[in-house]
């Protein structure tokens, strides 16, 4: 497998948490959320290095206890996730080869199972496009109307929840994301940039344990998953 570089966009503040500090620094099982997230990636020897995109006024980053800071590069984040990822990709210019893999993982996903990461590497090793961890939608899906009432029930067949990591070749992701940003296209994740570029990312089924911390109750669920053997 080609070399892999990881990017962690961590410049957000997590307004829905309603906390006094950004959600990636909230305590979780005795450590900040971001420490758990980075530990998942640092434990993977196939990842050559990690670029973390942080807010310009981030005062919490120096307090983290990280196992190997030599493998981590800090860059300034942007106004949106896509801007932060783009800044991190620019930092990899001259470091990553065109065909190297770039793996992008949410800062607020601290429970990434090792088996899921292994599956992502194995299934995408020779894929010409790349792909992402995702989970099939199992719940009944509703579409709201103008008010808080159901307008329609949505067919859930073929629907997936997009997770991270999402993994694509360095040159392809850089070109697709730069073009989407220049066209002012709404990019919510890396896969959407690749889709807008005309390609179809591969879906690799991942675990529900790989949750994204968004609301206060997610911290308790994440702590439960972290205690599982």
């Amino acid at each position: 497998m080609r070399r892999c570089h990881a990017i962690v966009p961590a410049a957000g503040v997590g307004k829905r948490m309603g906390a006094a500090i950004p959600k990636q620094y909230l305590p979780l099982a005795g450590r900040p959320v971001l420490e758990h997230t980075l530990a998942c990636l640092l434990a993977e020897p196939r990842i050559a290095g990690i670029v973390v995109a942080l807010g310009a006024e981030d005062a919490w980053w120096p307090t983290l206890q990280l196992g190997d800071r030599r493998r981590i590069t800090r860059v300034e984040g942007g106004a949106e996730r896509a801007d932060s990822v783009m800044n991190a990709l620019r930092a990899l210019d001259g470091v990553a080869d065109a065909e190297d893999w770039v793996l992008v993982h949410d800062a607020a996903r601290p429970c990434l199972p090792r088996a899921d990461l292994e599956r992502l590497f194995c299934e995408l090793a020779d894929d010409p496009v790349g792909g992402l961890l995702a989970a099939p939608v199992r719940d009944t899906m509703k579409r709201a109307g103008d008010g808080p009432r159901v307008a329609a029930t949505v067919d859930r067949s073929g629907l997936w929840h997009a997770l991270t990591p999402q993994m694509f070749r360095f040159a392809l992701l850089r070109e697709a994301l730069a073009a989407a940003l220049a066209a002012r296209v709404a990019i919510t994740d890396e896969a959407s940039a690749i889709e807008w570029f005309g390609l179809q990312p591969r879906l690799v089924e991942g675990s529900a344990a790989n949750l994204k911390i968004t609301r206060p109750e997610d911290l308790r669920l994440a702590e439960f998953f972290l205690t599982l053997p």
Side-chain angles (χ1 to χ4, degrees):
M1 177 175 165
R2 297 286 306 216
R3 283 191 309 168
C4 179
H5 312 268
I7 290 175
V8 178
V13 296
K15 293 180 180 179
R16 282 177 287 182
M17 287 296 293
I21 63 175
K23 64 181 179 182
Q24 59 268 30
Y25 294 109
L26 290 172
L28 171 63
R31 303 171 70 183
V33 169
L34 186 53
E35 272 192 28
H36 289 284
T37 302
L38 292 174
C40 295
L41 302 177
L42 288 169
E44 175 49 65
R46 285 169 287 193
I47 295 177
I50 305 170
V51 183
V52 183
L54 300 169
E57 305 300 322
D58 190 314
W60 299 273
W61 171 255
T63 68
L64 296 189
Q65 302 297 312
L66 301 173
D68 189 359
R69 283 187 180 266
R70 293 173 300 176
R71 290 171 62 196
I72 301 175
T73 301
R74 172 181 177 172
V75 299
E76 187 170 324
E80 303 293 340
R81 174 200 174 92
D83 300 306
S84 292
V85 173
M86 193 69 232
N87 286 352
L89 288 168
R90 292 190 184 104
L92 289 172
D93 283 339
V95 176
D97 294 333
E99 292 299 307
D100 282 358
W101 289 107
V102 173
L103 179 153
V104 184
H105 187 50
D106 292 330
R109 289 190 191 271
C111 306
L112 172 63
R114 186 71 179 268
D116 282 18
L117 190 54
E118 178 68 26
R119 190 179 310 110
L120 188 72
F121 281 134
C122 289
E123 294 198 20
L124 297 183
D126 298 316
D127 195 277
V129 177
L132 65 153
L133 287 177
V137 170
R138 295 181 173 88
D139 299 319
T140 299
M141 304 298 291
K142 303 291 186 182
R143 178 177 288 113
D146 294 334
R149 294 187 180 276
V150 174
T153 298
V154 179
D155 182 7
R156 70 186 175 199
S157 59
L159 293 180
W160 293 65
H161 293 286
L163 310 174
T164 68
Q166 303 191 2
M167 196 166 84
F168 301 96
R169 304 285 184 180
F170 170 68
L172 171 62
L173 180 58
R174 198 187 191 294
E175 185 179 3
L177 190 56
L181 287 172
R184 298 186 178 181
V185 176
I187 296 299
T188 55
D189 64 357
E190 294 64 53
S192 61
I194 299 296
E195 294 159 38
W196 179 81
F197 208 57
L199 300 173
Q200 293 181 308
R202 181 168 181 166
L203 294 163
V204 178
E205 186 164 354
S207 167
N210 185 16
L211 81 163
K212 184 177 182 180
I213 294 175
T214 305
R215 300 183 181 278
E217 58 267 26
D218 295 333
L219 284 168
R220 294 190 292 273
L221 186 56
E223 185 163 8
F224 167 76
F225 284 127
L226 288 172
T227 60
L228 294 177

